[in-house]
Amino acid sequence: MNARALTIAGLVLIATPAAAGACLKYEPSLVHLRGQIVERSAYGPPGYGEDPAHDSREHFLVLKLDSPICVDGTPDNELDSESEAGVPELMMVPPQGQPIPRGRAIVSGTLFHAITAHHRTRVLIAVTDAQSLNAKK
């Protein structure tokens, strides 16, 4: 391989988090992720879709990531011990009273693993900040 091909191969490895071993960490590590914030709804209690006529509807926000992420489990933390790879989206848990933009954004916060039926993605983000990337008109 020539020097240029080796350089390009090295840059590809650096730019690919999973390949470079650059998985993210669960809380308390702060992360900054880019993607599309969308609203979703799903069936809730009592049957979570088993009885749609009587089940409530839950509304929530999801960050659809520009690129899937991986998260390293924390062995000494029972709730966040499970590693995850190829995570394409995160359910968002915003602070009470803080408006969250819709559309393209950079979202900052801490990651944690799903533990209840209300958690709609494998990994969630407790949001500390969300900055819109939408063009101002």
Side-chain angles (χ1 to χ4, degrees), residues 1 3 8 16 59 80 86 88 100 108 114 130 135-136:
M1 232 184 222
I8 291 171
T16 309
H59 301 275
D80 290 332
I100 300 294
S108 301
K136 306 257 185 199

PDB file of all heavy atoms in Angstrom, residues 1 3 8 16 59 80 86 88 100 108 114 130 135-136:
ATOM      1  N   MET A   1       0.846  -1.183   0.000  1.00  0.00           N
ATOM      2  CA  MET A   1       0.000   0.000   0.000  1.00  0.00           C
ATOM      3  C   MET A   1       0.889   1.244   0.000  1.00  0.00           C
ATOM      4  O   MET A   1       1.874   1.313   0.720  1.00  0.00           O
ATOM      5  CB  MET A   1      -0.839  -0.003   1.273  1.00  0.00           C
ATOM      6  CG  MET A   1      -2.294   0.153   1.051  1.00  0.00           C
ATOM      7  SD  MET A   1      -3.177   0.250   2.639  1.00  0.00           S
ATOM      8  CE  MET A   1      -4.539  -0.773   2.217  1.00  0.00           C
ATOM      9  N   ALA A   3       1.710   5.387   0.620  1.00  0.00           N
ATOM     10  CA  ALA A   3       1.519   6.257   1.798  1.00  0.00           C
ATOM     11  C   ALA A   3       0.158   6.940   1.780  1.00  0.00           C
ATOM     12  O   ALA A   3      -0.482   7.085   2.813  1.00  0.00           O
ATOM     13  CB  ALA A   3       2.637   7.291   1.858  1.00  0.00           C
ATOM     14  N   ILE A   8      -5.393   7.538   4.018  1.00  0.00           N
ATOM     15  CA  ILE A   8      -6.851   7.513   3.855  1.00  0.00           C
ATOM     16  C   ILE A   8      -7.461   6.420   4.727  1.00  0.00           C
ATOM     17  O   ILE A   8      -8.456   6.635   5.406  1.00  0.00           O
ATOM     18  CB  ILE A   8      -7.234   7.321   2.371  1.00  0.00           C
ATOM     19  CG1 ILE A   8      -6.845   8.586   1.587  1.00  0.00           C
ATOM     20  CG2 ILE A   8      -8.714   7.004   2.213  1.00  0.00           C
ATOM     21  CD1 ILE A   8      -6.965   8.467   0.091  1.00  0.00           C
ATOM     22  N   THR A  16     -14.700   6.629  12.193  1.00  0.00           N
ATOM     23  CA  THR A  16     -15.714   5.641  12.508  1.00  0.00           C
ATOM     24  C   THR A  16     -15.604   5.268  13.973  1.00  0.00           C
ATOM     25  O   THR A  16     -14.745   4.491  14.356  1.00  0.00           O
ATOM     26  CB  THR A  16     -15.526   4.383  11.625  1.00  0.00           C
ATOM     27  OG1 THR A  16     -15.437   4.800  10.268  1.00  0.00           O
ATOM     28  CG2 THR A  16     -16.668   3.422  11.795  1.00  0.00           C
ATOM     29  N   HIS A  59     -46.767  10.389  24.469  1.00  0.00           N
ATOM     30  CA  HIS A  59     -46.085  11.227  23.482  1.00  0.00           C
ATOM     31  C   HIS A  59     -44.681  11.513  24.007  1.00  0.00           C
ATOM     32  O   HIS A  59     -44.505  11.795  25.196  1.00  0.00           O
ATOM     33  CB  HIS A  59     -46.858  12.517  23.248  1.00  0.00           C
ATOM     34  CG  HIS A  59     -48.249  12.259  22.774  1.00  0.00           C
ATOM     35  ND1 HIS A  59     -48.559  12.052  21.448  1.00  0.00           N
ATOM     36  CD2 HIS A  59     -49.415  12.117  23.457  1.00  0.00           C
ATOM     37  CE1 HIS A  59     -49.855  11.817  21.336  1.00  0.00           C
ATOM     38  NE2 HIS A  59     -50.399  11.861  22.544  1.00  0.00           N
ATOM     39  N   ASP A  80     -26.918   0.338  34.123  1.00  0.00           N
ATOM     40  CA  ASP A  80     -26.236   0.700  32.880  1.00  0.00           C
ATOM     41  C   ASP A  80     -25.130  -0.289  32.521  1.00  0.00           C
ATOM     42  O   ASP A  80     -24.136   0.068  31.889  1.00  0.00           O
ATOM     43  CB  ASP A  80     -25.643   2.112  32.993  1.00  0.00           C
ATOM     44  CG  ASP A  80     -26.705   3.196  33.022  1.00  0.00           C
ATOM     45  OD1 ASP A  80     -27.793   2.982  32.455  1.00  0.00           O
ATOM     46  OD2 ASP A  80     -26.448   4.260  33.616  1.00  0.00           O
ATOM     47  N   GLY A  86     -24.671   0.040  17.414  1.00  0.00           N
ATOM     48  CA  GLY A  86     -25.593   0.342  16.325  1.00  0.00           C
ATOM     49  C   GLY A  86     -26.862   1.030  16.760  1.00  0.00           C
ATOM     50  O   GLY A  86     -27.929   0.779  16.200  1.00  0.00           O
ATOM     51  N   PRO A  88     -29.431   3.721  16.608  1.00  0.00           N
ATOM     52  CA  PRO A  88     -29.749   4.751  15.621  1.00  0.00           C
ATOM     53  C   PRO A  88     -30.511   5.955  16.164  1.00  0.00           C
ATOM     54  O   PRO A  88     -30.548   7.005  15.531  1.00  0.00           O
ATOM     55  CB  PRO A  88     -30.622   4.000  14.616  1.00  0.00           C
ATOM     56  CG  PRO A  88     -31.343   2.994  15.464  1.00  0.00           C
ATOM     57  CD  PRO A  88     -30.361   2.595  16.545  1.00  0.00           C
ATOM     58  N   ILE A 100     -37.864  22.288  23.928  1.00  0.00           N
ATOM     59  CA  ILE A 100     -36.934  21.535  23.095  1.00  0.00           C
ATOM     60  C   ILE A 100     -37.279  21.818  21.635  1.00  0.00           C
ATOM     61  O   ILE A 100     -38.436  21.635  21.220  1.00  0.00           O
ATOM     62  CB  ILE A 100     -37.035  20.018  23.385  1.00  0.00           C
ATOM     63  CG1 ILE A 100     -36.699  19.720  24.844  1.00  0.00           C
ATOM     64  CG2 ILE A 100     -36.134  19.218  22.446  1.00  0.00           C
ATOM     65  CD1 ILE A 100     -35.272  19.993  25.257  1.00  0.00           C
ATOM     66  N   SER A 108     -27.155  17.867  24.026  1.00  0.00           N
ATOM     67  CA  SER A 108     -26.180  17.519  25.056  1.00  0.00           C
ATOM     68  C   SER A 108     -26.907  16.874  26.222  1.00  0.00           C
ATOM     69  O   SER A 108     -28.050  17.222  26.518  1.00  0.00           O
ATOM     70  CB  SER A 108     -25.461  18.780  25.556  1.00  0.00           C
ATOM     71  OG  SER A 108     -24.798  19.422  24.493  1.00  0.00           O
ATOM     72  N   ALA A 114     -32.346   1.796  28.886  1.00  0.00           N
ATOM     73  CA  ALA A 114     -33.786   1.613  29.124  1.00  0.00           C
ATOM     74  C   ALA A 114     -34.003   0.624  30.260  1.00  0.00           C
ATOM     75  O   ALA A 114     -33.329  -0.409  30.333  1.00  0.00           O
ATOM     76  CB  ALA A 114     -34.452   1.105  27.857  1.00  0.00           C
ATOM     77  N   ALA A 130     -30.321  21.595  24.182  1.00  0.00           N
ATOM     78  CA  ALA A 130     -30.622  21.247  22.791  1.00  0.00           C
ATOM     79  C   ALA A 130     -30.587  22.529  21.973  1.00  0.00           C
ATOM     80  O   ALA A 130     -31.373  23.445  22.222  1.00  0.00           O
ATOM     81  CB  ALA A 130     -31.993  20.571  22.688  1.00  0.00           C
ATOM     82  N   ALA A 135     -32.216  26.518   9.901  1.00  0.00           N
ATOM     83  CA  ALA A 135     -31.937  27.856   9.394  1.00  0.00           C
ATOM     84  C   ALA A 135     -33.012  28.821   9.874  1.00  0.00           C
ATOM     85  O   ALA A 135     -34.201  28.520   9.831  1.00  0.00           O
ATOM     86  CB  ALA A 135     -31.895  27.840   7.870  1.00  0.00           C
ATOM     87  N   LYS A 136     -32.581  29.986  10.350  1.00  0.00           N
ATOM     88  CA  LYS A 136     -33.527  31.033  10.787  1.00  0.00           C
ATOM     89  C   LYS A 136     -34.088  31.714   9.582  1.00  0.00           C
ATOM     90  O   LYS A 136     -33.398  32.001   8.615  1.00  0.00           O
ATOM     91  CB  LYS A 136     -32.813  32.057  11.676  1.00  0.00           C
ATOM     92  CG  LYS A 136     -32.091  31.442  12.837  1.00  0.00           C
ATOM     93  CD  LYS A 136     -32.873  31.647  14.076  1.00  0.00           C
ATOM     94  CE  LYS A 136     -32.011  31.101  15.213  1.00  0.00           C
ATOM     95  NZ  LYS A 136     -32.677  30.822  16.365  1.00  0.00           N
TER      96      LYS A 136
END
